[in-house]
């Protein structure tokens, strides 16, 4: 029997006080009643009100530009980890300060899991009303994205960067259209909107195998089942298994042989 183990880390941000009721550093937030307690900004970086698009940024960049291309991307092809709360790469942290930051992909997944999304097209304002478990809501305009010098699909889709990379060339985004909001990945050079959040960074806090002990014969193949905590991260968490002695057990994905 081979013993397998997994480790995880939790990063906690300080809970900084705001400058007024439902404000942090001059920017309004809404408490949606999420399990994490995360506070979501009411508008995008660069916007004056919730209905405005605000500014577009390439992933991991803190300034706008007239052209969004592979050639002028500062992070495309670079091995960079999650950028949430790092002002060198996180435009929300850089522009808004205090505890504001770009949401992780896990935090957008929590939004999908716990909120009600309603596509709206009233008076030319197109996007999603997102209502939390406590009845409070925020609005995400469908402002499209920048490719080269053009805004693509404005009024048809919304594209919001997460802080989480998926590879050296891609990062996860929160994608909105009239059919279905989802988490996908896109190349880092595209210009997308940013919706800040404030609060503890949501990360995996625990991994627990369902099978407490395993007995196998030489020719057996077993799928290892596990629980992820918090449960809302299960679909996005990447679990990698390693064998300490491959002469006893070998690992391929989540299968033991």
């Amino acid at each position: 029997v081979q013993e397998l183990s997994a480790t995880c880390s939790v990063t906690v941000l300080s809970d900084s006080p705001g400058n007024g009721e439902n404000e942090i550093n001059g920017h309004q937030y809404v408490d949606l009643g999420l399990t994490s307690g995360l506070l979501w900004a009411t508008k995008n970086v660069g916007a004056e009100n919730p209905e405005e698009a605000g500014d577009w940024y390439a992933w991991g960049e803190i300034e706008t530009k007239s052209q969004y291309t592979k050639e002028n991307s500062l992070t495309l092809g670079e091995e960079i980890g999650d950028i949430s709360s790092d002002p060198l790469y996180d435009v929300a942290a850089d522009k808004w300060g205090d505890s504001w930051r770009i949401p992780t992909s896990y935090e957008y997944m929590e939004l999908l899991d716990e909120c009600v999304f309603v596509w709206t097209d009233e008076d030319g304002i197109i996007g999603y009303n997102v209502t939390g478990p406590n009845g409070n809501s925020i609005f995400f305009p469908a402002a499209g994205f920048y490719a080269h010098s053009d805004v693509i699909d404005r009024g048809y889709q919304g594209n919001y960067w997460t802080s989480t990379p998926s590879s050296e060339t891609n990062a996860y985004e929160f994608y909105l259209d009239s059919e279905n909001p989802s988490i996908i990945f896109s190349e880092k050079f595209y210009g997308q909107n940013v919706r800040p959040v404030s609060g503890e960074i949501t990360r995996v806090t625990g991994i627990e195998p369902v099978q407490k002990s395993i007995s196998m014969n030489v020719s057996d193949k077993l799928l290892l089942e596990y629980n992820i905590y918090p449960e809302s991260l299960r679909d996005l968490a990447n679990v990698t298994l390693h064998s300490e002695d491959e002469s006893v057990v070998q690992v391929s994905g989540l299968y033991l042989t």
Side-chain angles (χ1 to χ4, degrees), residues 8-49:
C8 62
S9 61
V10 180
T11 301
V12 179
L13 297 181
S14 61
D15 186 12
S16 301
N19 296 340
E21 186 176 0
N22 293 343
E23 281 191 0
I24 297 174
N25 210 25
H27 300 282
Q28 291 186 329
Y29 66 81
V30 171
D31 180 358
L32 296 170
L34 302 172
T35 299
S36 66
L38 199 65
L39 305 176
W40 283 80
T42 59
K43 62 184 180 182
N44 296 341
V45 174
E48 294 296 325
N49 58 65

Side-chain angles (χ1 to χ4, degrees), residues 53-56 65-68 142-159 190-193:
D55 293 325
W56 290 262
K65 46 194 179 185
S66 58
Q67 295 269 345
Y68 293 82
F145 66 96
Y146 255 98
H148 299 279
S149 58
D150 299 317
V151 179
I152 310 298
D153 286 337
R154 187 166 192 170
Y156 294 95
Q157 68 182 51
N159 306 79
Y190 288 117
Q192 298 192 14
N193 295 130

